[in-house]
Every structure is written in C-alpha cells, then in structure tokens.
Amino acid sequence: MKFFIDTANLDQISKAAGYGILDGVTTNPSLIAKEGIIEQSEHIKAICAITPTPVSAEVLATETDSMIDEGKRLAALAPNVVVKIPLTMSGLQATKELSSQGIRVNVTLVFSAIQALLAAKAGAAYVSPFVGRLDDTGLDGLTVVEDILNIFGNYDFETEVIVASIRHCQHVHRAALLGADICTIPFAVIQQLSGHPLTDKGLAAFLADHAKVAAH
Ligand code: E4P
C-alpha cells in the first residue's frame, strides 16, 4: 500500500519525505487555506520541488469548461501534478476530457461506491473516498472502500483507490487489510503509526541494561 501525506505544509512534507515512506501528497482548498495561501500555483510548485511523487492539486472552478482550463494550468506546473476534481456531473465531464488528454485526475469528495464507479468510467487515475467523514455520519467509511475495491476488481478498472479523510491508525490498518492502493494520511497520524508502548518499554530496558554493564 502506498502512503501519501494529506497536507499542504511544506515542513511536514519534507519531514515525511525524509522518513523514506512517502509515495505522494494530497492537498485540497482547505489545506491550502490553512497555510495562508490564496493563489496556490507557487505553493504547488514548492511541494513538487520537495518530492517527485504524485501531488494532487484541487481545482476551485465548478463548471466543466473552467475546471478543464484550471486543470490544464495546474498540470502544467510540474510533471507530477495530479488534478483533483470534485465528484459532480460537471467534474465527471472535466475528468473525461482531462484524462483523454493524458492528464491524471484524482476524483475527490467520493462518499459511495457508485460515485467511485462513475469516476473510474470517466477515466480517473485515482478516486478518493472520505472514510472519516462517512464515519462522522454514523456509517462505516471503510465498508464503502471495500465495495469500491470489489467493484473495480469485477471490471478490471485501473483507477487506484486513495483512502482519504483518515483520522487514526486503525483506518490505515483496515485499509491495508482490504488491499486499498493508497492511504492519504495527516502528518500527526503518520507519526503515530510507528508508535507502540512495548517498543518504547523494550528500548528503555535495552539501554538501561547496557548502561548498567557500561558503568562497571
Ligand atoms: C484528501 O484527498 C482529502 O481532501 C482529505 O483527506 C479530507 O480529509 P478531512 O475529512 O480530514 O478534511
């Protein structure tokens, strides 16, 4: 399973790249705004200068033609830019057009398996179901991911499934068990993934045992 980082923070992206486990970056308008950025082009270029992995940059346009224009502008920023398009009928049309021109599209704001099927049929390279936001409504977001993976397997779609809106390590664990292609994970959760109290306890004991002998 590939690990993307779900942030627009340059420091966090650099640190995650340094850990040696970074396979991509996803941003969205909220994450860009969190960095105090109004016009995202230069910031997306700065992210792409940190990592050659796929970097999703989302369009703000909502009509098909303007989504296509904005998507082309974003894709021209760097070879690793993936254009993120929301799952609307206009978004599906834009996805079809951009994909047919060889531009990779990540269809976002996906909350059902049928929405994911539509995105795959439109030629999306990636589809992003939001598990945390589904959980918030009282559903189990990862059952939607399971359905998407089964449907894509039934028809041999090449669209990769990005499990998005990850809130905790259990989301990542279950996504891996399901065979999801990618998890896009906030920096805080990436840091939590390596932690285990028995690892900390074991390391402290090893160092204490060594120190006792070294003191003699
Ligand atoms: C990633 O592509 C999504 O934009 C992101 O995971 C949404 O996460 P949130 O529900 O925590 O905002």
Side-chain angles (χ1 to χ4, degrees), residues 6 26-31 56 58 84 106 108-109 128-133 136 162-167 184-186:
D6 196 25
T26 52
T27 68
N28 64 36
S30 300
L31 292 171
S56 288
E58 188 160 339
K84 213 171 177 194
N106 172 3
T108 189
L109 289 168
S128 293
F130 279 31
V131 295
R133 295 193 197 186
D136 291 344
I162 304 180
V163 181
S165 188
I166 294 244
R167 300 278 163 78
T184 190
I185 314 171

PDB file of all heavy atoms in Angstrom, residues 6 26-31 56 58 84 106 108-109 128-133 136 162-167 184-186, ligand 1:
ATOM      1  N   ASP A   6      -1.408  13.897   3.616  1.00  0.00           N
ATOM      2  CA  ASP A   6      -2.578  14.739   3.363  1.00  0.00           C
ATOM      3  C   ASP A   6      -2.346  16.093   4.029  1.00  0.00           C
ATOM      4  O   ASP A   6      -2.819  16.337   5.141  1.00  0.00           O
ATOM      5  CB  ASP A   6      -3.806  14.017   3.957  1.00  0.00           C
ATOM      6  CG  ASP A   6      -5.121  14.565   3.451  1.00  0.00           C
ATOM      7  OD1 ASP A   6      -5.149  15.140   2.358  1.00  0.00           O
ATOM      8  OD2 ASP A   6      -6.143  14.387   4.155  1.00  0.00           O
ATOM      9  N   THR A  26      -1.429  14.798  -1.068  1.00  0.00           N
ATOM     10  CA  THR A  26      -2.745  15.318  -1.477  1.00  0.00           C
ATOM     11  C   THR A  26      -2.980  16.643  -0.756  1.00  0.00           C
ATOM     12  O   THR A  26      -2.689  16.774   0.437  1.00  0.00           O
ATOM     13  CB  THR A  26      -3.888  14.343  -1.150  1.00  0.00           C
ATOM     14  OG1 THR A  26      -3.821  13.947   0.219  1.00  0.00           O
ATOM     15  CG2 THR A  26      -3.850  13.113  -2.040  1.00  0.00           C
ATOM     16  N   THR A  27      -3.512  17.606  -1.521  1.00  0.00           N
ATOM     17  CA  THR A  27      -3.923  18.870  -0.915  1.00  0.00           C
ATOM     18  C   THR A  27      -5.392  19.081  -1.268  1.00  0.00           C
ATOM     19  O   THR A  27      -5.962  18.347  -2.081  1.00  0.00           O
ATOM     20  CB  THR A  27      -3.100  20.055  -1.460  1.00  0.00           C
ATOM     21  OG1 THR A  27      -3.433  20.270  -2.833  1.00  0.00           O
ATOM     22  CG2 THR A  27      -1.610  19.807  -1.328  1.00  0.00           C
ATOM     23  N   ASN A  28      -6.009  20.044  -0.636  1.00  0.00           N
ATOM     24  CA  ASN A  28      -7.355  20.474  -1.025  1.00  0.00           C
ATOM     25  C   ASN A  28      -7.454  21.959  -0.660  1.00  0.00           C
ATOM     26  O   ASN A  28      -6.543  22.499   0.007  1.00  0.00           O
ATOM     27  CB  ASN A  28      -8.440  19.591  -0.362  1.00  0.00           C
ATOM     28  CG  ASN A  28      -8.460  19.694   1.155  1.00  0.00           C
ATOM     29  OD1 ASN A  28      -8.220  20.767   1.709  1.00  0.00           O
ATOM     30  ND2 ASN A  28      -8.744  18.597   1.835  1.00  0.00           N
ATOM     31  N   PRO A  29      -8.508  22.646  -1.078  1.00  0.00           N
ATOM     32  CA  PRO A  29      -8.583  24.089  -0.804  1.00  0.00           C
ATOM     33  C   PRO A  29      -8.508  24.424   0.686  1.00  0.00           C
ATOM     34  O   PRO A  29      -7.931  25.457   1.067  1.00  0.00           O
ATOM     35  CB  PRO A  29      -9.928  24.493  -1.421  1.00  0.00           C
ATOM     36  CG  PRO A  29     -10.107  23.517  -2.554  1.00  0.00           C
ATOM     37  CD  PRO A  29      -9.578  22.213  -2.017  1.00  0.00           C
ATOM     38  N   SER A  30      -9.052  23.573   1.542  1.00  0.00           N
ATOM     39  CA  SER A  30      -8.990  23.846   2.988  1.00  0.00           C
ATOM     40  C   SER A  30      -7.547  23.737   3.494  1.00  0.00           C
ATOM     41  O   SER A  30      -7.100  24.563   4.304  1.00  0.00           O
ATOM     42  CB  SER A  30      -9.877  22.862   3.762  1.00  0.00           C
ATOM     43  OG  SER A  30     -11.211  22.981   3.351  1.00  0.00           O
ATOM     44  N   LEU A  31      -6.830  22.725   3.025  1.00  0.00           N
ATOM     45  CA  LEU A  31      -5.439  22.538   3.473  1.00  0.00           C
ATOM     46  C   LEU A  31      -4.549  23.671   2.953  1.00  0.00           C
ATOM     47  O   LEU A  31      -3.641  24.133   3.667  1.00  0.00           O
ATOM     48  CB  LEU A  31      -4.904  21.178   2.999  1.00  0.00           C
ATOM     49  CG  LEU A  31      -5.559  19.948   3.647  1.00  0.00           C
ATOM     50  CD1 LEU A  31      -5.119  18.658   2.939  1.00  0.00           C
ATOM     51  CD2 LEU A  31      -5.221  19.867   5.137  1.00  0.00           C
ATOM     52  N   SER A  56      -1.453  15.943  -5.602  1.00  0.00           N
ATOM     53  CA  SER A  56      -2.805  16.337  -6.029  1.00  0.00           C
ATOM     54  C   SER A  56      -3.067  17.793  -5.679  1.00  0.00           C
ATOM     55  O   SER A  56      -2.896  18.204  -4.529  1.00  0.00           O
ATOM     56  CB  SER A  56      -3.865  15.469  -5.333  1.00  0.00           C
ATOM     57  OG  SER A  56      -3.871  14.162  -5.855  1.00  0.00           O
ATOM     58  N   GLU A  58      -6.173  20.688  -6.190  1.00  0.00           N
ATOM     59  CA  GLU A  58      -7.611  20.692  -6.500  1.00  0.00           C
ATOM     60  C   GLU A  58      -8.031  21.966  -7.233  1.00  0.00           C
ATOM     61  O   GLU A  58      -7.579  23.068  -6.894  1.00  0.00           O
ATOM     62  CB  GLU A  58      -8.406  20.545  -5.191  1.00  0.00           C
ATOM     63  CG  GLU A  58      -9.896  20.348  -5.413  1.00  0.00           C
ATOM     64  CD  GLU A  58     -10.585  19.729  -4.197  1.00  0.00           C
ATOM     65  OE1 GLU A  58      -9.912  19.085  -3.352  1.00  0.00           O
ATOM     66  OE2 GLU A  58     -11.814  19.884  -4.101  1.00  0.00           O
ATOM     67  N   LYS A  84      -7.037  17.446  -9.062  1.00  0.00           N
ATOM     68  CA  LYS A  84      -8.096  16.928  -8.194  1.00  0.00           C
ATOM     69  C   LYS A  84      -9.412  17.608  -8.583  1.00  0.00           C
ATOM     70  O   LYS A  84      -9.495  18.843  -8.634  1.00  0.00           O
ATOM     71  CB  LYS A  84      -7.735  17.239  -6.737  1.00  0.00           C
ATOM     72  CG  LYS A  84      -8.204  16.219  -5.753  1.00  0.00           C
ATOM     73  CD  LYS A  84      -7.597  16.544  -4.393  1.00  0.00           C
ATOM     74  CE  LYS A  84      -8.082  15.612  -3.324  1.00  0.00           C
ATOM     75  NZ  LYS A  84      -7.762  16.142  -1.997  1.00  0.00           N
ATOM     76  N   ASN A 106      -7.526  12.960  -9.964  1.00  0.00           N
ATOM     77  CA  ASN A 106      -7.939  12.353  -8.700  1.00  0.00           C
ATOM     78  C   ASN A 106      -9.345  12.876  -8.405  1.00  0.00           C
ATOM     79  O   ASN A 106      -9.510  14.063  -8.133  1.00  0.00           O
ATOM     80  CB  ASN A 106      -6.940  12.763  -7.606  1.00  0.00           C
ATOM     81  CG  ASN A 106      -7.367  12.353  -6.203  1.00  0.00           C
ATOM     82  OD1 ASN A 106      -8.393  11.714  -6.015  1.00  0.00           O
ATOM     83  ND2 ASN A 106      -6.569  12.743  -5.218  1.00  0.00           N
ATOM     84  N   THR A 108     -12.377  13.515  -6.206  1.00  0.00           N
ATOM     85  CA  THR A 108     -12.454  13.676  -4.755  1.00  0.00           C
ATOM     86  C   THR A 108     -13.891  13.882  -4.282  1.00  0.00           C
ATOM     87  O   THR A 108     -14.804  14.013  -5.083  1.00  0.00           O
ATOM     88  CB  THR A 108     -11.545  14.853  -4.320  1.00  0.00           C
ATOM     89  OG1 THR A 108     -11.469  14.879  -2.903  1.00  0.00           O
ATOM     90  CG2 THR A 108     -12.081  16.194  -4.820  1.00  0.00           C
ATOM     91  N   LEU A 109     -14.060  13.901  -2.968  1.00  0.00           N
ATOM     92  CA  LEU A 109     -15.385  14.044  -2.348  1.00  0.00           C
ATOM     93  C   LEU A 109     -16.296  12.883  -2.759  1.00  0.00           C
ATOM     94  O   LEU A 109     -17.456  13.079  -3.123  1.00  0.00           O
ATOM     95  CB  LEU A 109     -16.008  15.400  -2.690  1.00  0.00           C
ATOM     96  CG  LEU A 109     -15.340  16.596  -1.987  1.00  0.00           C
ATOM     97  CD1 LEU A 109     -15.812  17.923  -2.580  1.00  0.00           C
ATOM     98  CD2 LEU A 109     -15.616  16.583  -0.485  1.00  0.00           C
ATOM     99  N   SER A 128     -10.999   9.154  -4.529  1.00  0.00           N
ATOM    100  CA  SER A 128     -10.746   9.371  -3.095  1.00  0.00           C
ATOM    101  C   SER A 128     -12.018   9.294  -2.253  1.00  0.00           C
ATOM    102  O   SER A 128     -12.740  10.291  -2.101  1.00  0.00           O
ATOM    103  CB  SER A 128     -10.096  10.749  -2.880  1.00  0.00           C
ATOM    104  OG  SER A 128      -8.810  10.787  -3.422  1.00  0.00           O
ATOM    105  N   PRO A 129     -12.327   8.102  -1.712  1.00  0.00           N
ATOM    106  CA  PRO A 129     -13.430   8.011  -0.744  1.00  0.00           C
ATOM    107  C   PRO A 129     -12.994   8.554   0.616  1.00  0.00           C
ATOM    108  O   PRO A 129     -11.887   8.284   1.069  1.00  0.00           O
ATOM    109  CB  PRO A 129     -13.717   6.502  -0.674  1.00  0.00           C
ATOM    110  CG  PRO A 129     -12.459   5.832  -1.126  1.00  0.00           C
ATOM    111  CD  PRO A 129     -11.740   6.788  -2.030  1.00  0.00           C
ATOM    112  N   PHE A 130     -13.890   9.325   1.259  1.00  0.00           N
ATOM    113  CA  PHE A 130     -13.573  10.023   2.521  1.00  0.00           C
ATOM    114  C   PHE A 130     -14.094   9.211   3.699  1.00  0.00           C
ATOM    115  O   PHE A 130     -15.252   9.370   4.117  1.00  0.00           O
ATOM    116  CB  PHE A 130     -14.244  11.402   2.527  1.00  0.00           C
ATOM    117  CG  PHE A 130     -13.531  12.481   1.768  1.00  0.00           C
ATOM    118  CD1 PHE A 130     -12.767  12.197   0.650  1.00  0.00           C
ATOM    119  CD2 PHE A 130     -13.647  13.805   2.163  1.00  0.00           C
ATOM    120  CE1 PHE A 130     -12.120  13.206  -0.061  1.00  0.00           C
ATOM    121  CE2 PHE A 130     -13.001  14.826   1.470  1.00  0.00           C
ATOM    122  CZ  PHE A 130     -12.247  14.529   0.356  1.00  0.00           C
ATOM    123  N   VAL A 131     -13.260   8.366   4.286  1.00  0.00           N
ATOM    124  CA  VAL A 131     -13.767   7.446   5.311  1.00  0.00           C
ATOM    125  C   VAL A 131     -14.116   8.151   6.628  1.00  0.00           C
ATOM    126  O   VAL A 131     -15.136   7.829   7.248  1.00  0.00           O
ATOM    127  CB  VAL A 131     -12.795   6.261   5.560  1.00  0.00           C
ATOM    128  CG1 VAL A 131     -12.687   5.394   4.311  1.00  0.00           C
ATOM    129  CG2 VAL A 131     -11.428   6.712   6.016  1.00  0.00           C
ATOM    130  N   GLY A 132     -13.288   9.098   7.049  1.00  0.00           N
ATOM    131  CA  GLY A 132     -13.551   9.763   8.331  1.00  0.00           C
ATOM    132  C   GLY A 132     -14.874  10.519   8.317  1.00  0.00           C
ATOM    133  O   GLY A 132     -15.650  10.464   9.267  1.00  0.00           O
ATOM    134  N   ARG A 133     -15.131  11.221   7.208  1.00  0.00           N
ATOM    135  CA  ARG A 133     -16.385  11.989   7.136  1.00  0.00           C
ATOM    136  C   ARG A 133     -17.589  11.056   7.064  1.00  0.00           C
ATOM    137  O   ARG A 133     -18.666  11.398   7.566  1.00  0.00           O
ATOM    138  CB  ARG A 133     -16.359  12.939   5.932  1.00  0.00           C
ATOM    139  CG  ARG A 133     -15.295  14.019   6.066  1.00  0.00           C
ATOM    140  CD  ARG A 133     -15.482  15.122   5.053  1.00  0.00           C
ATOM    141  NE  ARG A 133     -14.262  15.913   4.937  1.00  0.00           N
ATOM    142  CZ  ARG A 133     -14.152  17.019   4.216  1.00  0.00           C
ATOM    143  NH1 ARG A 133     -15.184  17.473   3.549  1.00  0.00           N
ATOM    144  NH2 ARG A 133     -13.004  17.676   4.163  1.00  0.00           N
ATOM    145  N   ASP A 136     -18.246   9.925  10.531  1.00  0.00           N
ATOM    146  CA  ASP A 136     -18.902  11.007  11.297  1.00  0.00           C
ATOM    147  C   ASP A 136     -20.420  10.964  11.174  1.00  0.00           C
ATOM    148  O   ASP A 136     -21.130  11.466  12.046  1.00  0.00           O
ATOM    149  CB  ASP A 136     -18.425  12.390  10.808  1.00  0.00           C
ATOM    150  CG  ASP A 136     -16.976  12.660  11.165  1.00  0.00           C
ATOM    151  OD1 ASP A 136     -16.431  11.950  12.035  1.00  0.00           O
ATOM    152  OD2 ASP A 136     -16.388  13.586  10.562  1.00  0.00           O
ATOM    153  N   ILE A 162      -7.634   5.845  -3.321  1.00  0.00           N
ATOM    154  CA  ILE A 162      -6.947   6.583  -2.248  1.00  0.00           C
ATOM    155  C   ILE A 162      -7.912   6.674  -1.071  1.00  0.00           C
ATOM    156  O   ILE A 162      -8.934   7.365  -1.162  1.00  0.00           O
ATOM    157  CB  ILE A 162      -6.560   8.013  -2.673  1.00  0.00           C
ATOM    158  CG1 ILE A 162      -5.704   8.017  -3.942  1.00  0.00           C
ATOM    159  CG2 ILE A 162      -5.847   8.722  -1.523  1.00  0.00           C
ATOM    160  CD1 ILE A 162      -5.295   9.431  -4.418  1.00  0.00           C
ATOM    161  N   VAL A 163      -7.604   5.993   0.016  1.00  0.00           N
ATOM    162  CA  VAL A 163      -8.442   6.122   1.217  1.00  0.00           C
ATOM    163  C   VAL A 163      -8.105   7.472   1.850  1.00  0.00           C
ATOM    164  O   VAL A 163      -6.963   7.717   2.257  1.00  0.00           O
ATOM    165  CB  VAL A 163      -8.194   4.962   2.203  1.00  0.00           C
ATOM    166  CG1 VAL A 163      -9.090   5.111   3.429  1.00  0.00           C
ATOM    167  CG2 VAL A 163      -8.459   3.622   1.504  1.00  0.00           C
ATOM    168  N   ALA A 164      -9.107   8.370   1.883  1.00  0.00           N
ATOM    169  CA  ALA A 164      -8.890   9.753   2.337  1.00  0.00           C
ATOM    170  C   ALA A 164      -9.704  10.024   3.594  1.00  0.00           C
ATOM    171  O   ALA A 164     -10.504   9.197   4.022  1.00  0.00           O
ATOM    172  CB  ALA A 164      -9.279  10.718   1.221  1.00  0.00           C
ATOM    173  N   SER A 165      -9.466  11.206   4.170  1.00  0.00           N
ATOM    174  CA  SER A 165     -10.144  11.595   5.419  1.00  0.00           C
ATOM    175  C   SER A 165      -9.826  10.586   6.531  1.00  0.00           C
ATOM    176  O   SER A 165     -10.697  10.162   7.280  1.00  0.00           O
ATOM    177  CB  SER A 165     -11.657  11.712   5.173  1.00  0.00           C
ATOM    178  OG  SER A 165     -12.324  12.249   6.271  1.00  0.00           O
ATOM    179  N   ILE A 166      -8.535  10.234   6.581  1.00  0.00           N
ATOM    180  CA  ILE A 166      -8.038   9.284   7.600  1.00  0.00           C
ATOM    181  C   ILE A 166      -7.914  10.026   8.931  1.00  0.00           C
ATOM    182  O   ILE A 166      -7.372  11.123   8.979  1.00  0.00           O
ATOM    183  CB  ILE A 166      -6.659   8.746   7.162  1.00  0.00           C
ATOM    184  CG1 ILE A 166      -6.831   7.901   5.903  1.00  0.00           C
ATOM    185  CG2 ILE A 166      -5.942   8.051   8.306  1.00  0.00           C
ATOM    186  CD1 ILE A 166      -6.521   6.482   5.972  1.00  0.00           C
ATOM    187  N   ARG A 167      -8.392   9.402   9.992  1.00  0.00           N
ATOM    188  CA  ARG A 167      -8.375  10.072  11.298  1.00  0.00           C
ATOM    189  C   ARG A 167      -7.450   9.383  12.311  1.00  0.00           C
ATOM    190  O   ARG A 167      -7.058   9.989  13.295  1.00  0.00           O
ATOM    191  CB  ARG A 167      -9.789  10.098  11.882  1.00  0.00           C
ATOM    192  CG  ARG A 167     -10.805  10.831  11.028  1.00  0.00           C
ATOM    193  CD  ARG A 167     -10.744  12.340  11.251  1.00  0.00           C
ATOM    194  NE  ARG A 167     -11.417  13.063  10.182  1.00  0.00           N
ATOM    195  CZ  ARG A 167     -12.734  13.199  10.071  1.00  0.00           C
ATOM    196  NH1 ARG A 167     -13.540  12.667  10.972  1.00  0.00           N
ATOM    197  NH2 ARG A 167     -13.257  13.853   9.064  1.00  0.00           N
ATOM    198  N   THR A 184      -4.091   8.301   2.152  1.00  0.00           N
ATOM    199  CA  THR A 184      -3.521   9.643   2.316  1.00  0.00           C
ATOM    200  C   THR A 184      -3.752  10.071   3.756  1.00  0.00           C
ATOM    201  O   THR A 184      -4.881  10.091   4.246  1.00  0.00           O
ATOM    202  CB  THR A 184      -4.040  10.660   1.277  1.00  0.00           C
ATOM    203  OG1 THR A 184      -3.234  11.843   1.406  1.00  0.00           O
ATOM    204  CG2 THR A 184      -5.519  10.994   1.399  1.00  0.00           C
ATOM    205  N   ILE A 185      -2.634  10.352   4.449  1.00  0.00           N
ATOM    206  CA  ILE A 185      -2.646  10.358   5.909  1.00  0.00           C
ATOM    207  C   ILE A 185      -2.142  11.701   6.440  1.00  0.00           C
ATOM    208  O   ILE A 185      -1.091  12.195   5.991  1.00  0.00           O
ATOM    209  CB  ILE A 185      -1.711   9.227   6.432  1.00  0.00           C
ATOM    210  CG1 ILE A 185      -1.962   7.915   5.667  1.00  0.00           C
ATOM    211  CG2 ILE A 185      -1.893   9.009   7.926  1.00  0.00           C
ATOM    212  CD1 ILE A 185      -0.951   6.822   5.961  1.00  0.00           C
ATOM    213  N   PRO A 186      -2.860  12.291   7.409  1.00  0.00           N
ATOM    214  CA  PRO A 186      -2.335  13.522   8.027  1.00  0.00           C
ATOM    215  C   PRO A 186      -1.003  13.241   8.731  1.00  0.00           C
ATOM    216  O   PRO A 186      -0.766  12.113   9.198  1.00  0.00           O
ATOM    217  CB  PRO A 186      -3.416  13.905   9.040  1.00  0.00           C
ATOM    218  CG  PRO A 186      -4.627  13.115   8.676  1.00  0.00           C
ATOM    219  CD  PRO A 186      -4.138  11.885   7.976  1.00  0.00           C
TER     220      PRO A 186
HETATM  221  C1  E4P B   1      -7.801  14.157   0.670  1.00  0.00           C
HETATM  222  O1  E4P B   1      -7.736  13.987  -0.513  1.00  0.00           O
HETATM  223  C2  E4P B   1      -8.970  14.819   1.310  1.00  0.00           C
HETATM  224  O2  E4P B   1      -9.116  16.104   0.830  1.00  0.00           O
HETATM  225  C3  E4P B   1      -8.800  14.797   2.804  1.00  0.00           C
HETATM  226  O3  E4P B   1      -8.357  13.516   3.190  1.00  0.00           O
HETATM  227  C4  E4P B   1     -10.036  15.223   3.558  1.00  0.00           C
HETATM  228  O4  E4P B   1      -9.813  14.972   4.917  1.00  0.00           O
HETATM  229  P1  E4P B   1     -10.725  15.605   6.082  1.00  0.00           P
HETATM  230  O5  E4P B   1     -12.052  14.911   6.065  1.00  0.00           O
HETATM  231  O6  E4P B   1      -9.958  15.323   7.349  1.00  0.00           O
HETATM  232  O7  E4P B   1     -10.840  17.069   5.786  1.00  0.00           O
END
